[in-house]
Amino acid sequence: EKCSKSVLMLCCKRAGIVTLLATFGIASAGPILKVDVSDSGSFEVTLDGTLWLEGGEVRVGHLNSSELSCTGRREGKGTDALGGYTYKTIQWSKTGSNSTLMETSFRTYEADSSILVFEQFFPETLELPAQ
């Protein structure tokens, strides 16, 4: 079975413990996670206004950041099992191409500011060279 998507969910509690309690429907009030995504695709996550996490090297298969370009950007709203969210999506292509290899998305939830979901989506099968 092929997988075209991976998801990482961060939930932060005041004590600094990273937990996944929100997946069981336990909401928390408290910490505020925010994500700022630049036009180049880099991102920073702040926790209560303090820098907590920054994006690093972007890789798709054998391609690295110097060979990839941010070729599209979308923002909007949606709903999933965790509730209503706002998303920011970046489309990544090989430099010089308009064919999207990967989309990276960031979701923040209206009802619980301590949840931030990262998602990678691969719209087409990646052909990776043998190593």
Side-chain angles (χ1 to χ4, degrees):
E1 182 176 331
K2 294 181 180 177
C3 178
S4 63
K5 185 187 309 192
S6 63
V7 176
L8 168 66
M9 184 173 75
L10 296 179
C11 303
C12 183
K13 302 297 172 197
R14 280 253 182 247
I17 300 169
V18 176
T19 179
L20 295 179
L21 290 177
T23 60
F24 301 107
I26 301 170
S28 72
I32 298 173
L33 288 172
K34 289 188 178 180
V35 63
D36 181 38
V37 183
S38 74
D39 289 338
S40 68
S42 65
F43 69 92
E44 293 182 344
V45 176
T46 57
L47 170 62
D48 292 332
T50 302
L51 182 61
W52 187 50
L53 175 70
E54 322 182 70
E57 175 92 19
V58 176
R59 296 189 65 87
V60 178
H62 65 282
L63 302 172
N64 62 37
S65 293
S66 66
E67 301 167 293
L68 295 167
S69 297
C70 174
T71 54
R73 184 180 170 120
R74 293 188 316 270
E75 294 186 16
K77 293 183 177 277
T79 304
D80 64 13
L82 297 174
Y85 61 82
T86 300
Y87 69 87
K88 297 176 183 179
T89 298
I90 301 292
Q91 295 171 308
W92 297 94
S93 301
K94 183 175 180 178
T95 300
S97 169
N98 287 326
S99 177
T100 301
L101 297 173
M102 176 178 71
E103 294 181 353
T104 52
S105 295
F106 308 85
R107 292 186 210 153
T108 54
Y109 289 79
E110 298 154 8
D112 191 342
S113 62
S114 68
I115 300 175
L116 173 60
V117 174
F118 295 82
E119 178 182 50
Q120 294 176 312
F121 174 70
F122 302 90
E124 297 180 23
T125 301
L126 293 178
E127 300 296 330
L128 301 176
Q131 301 222 0

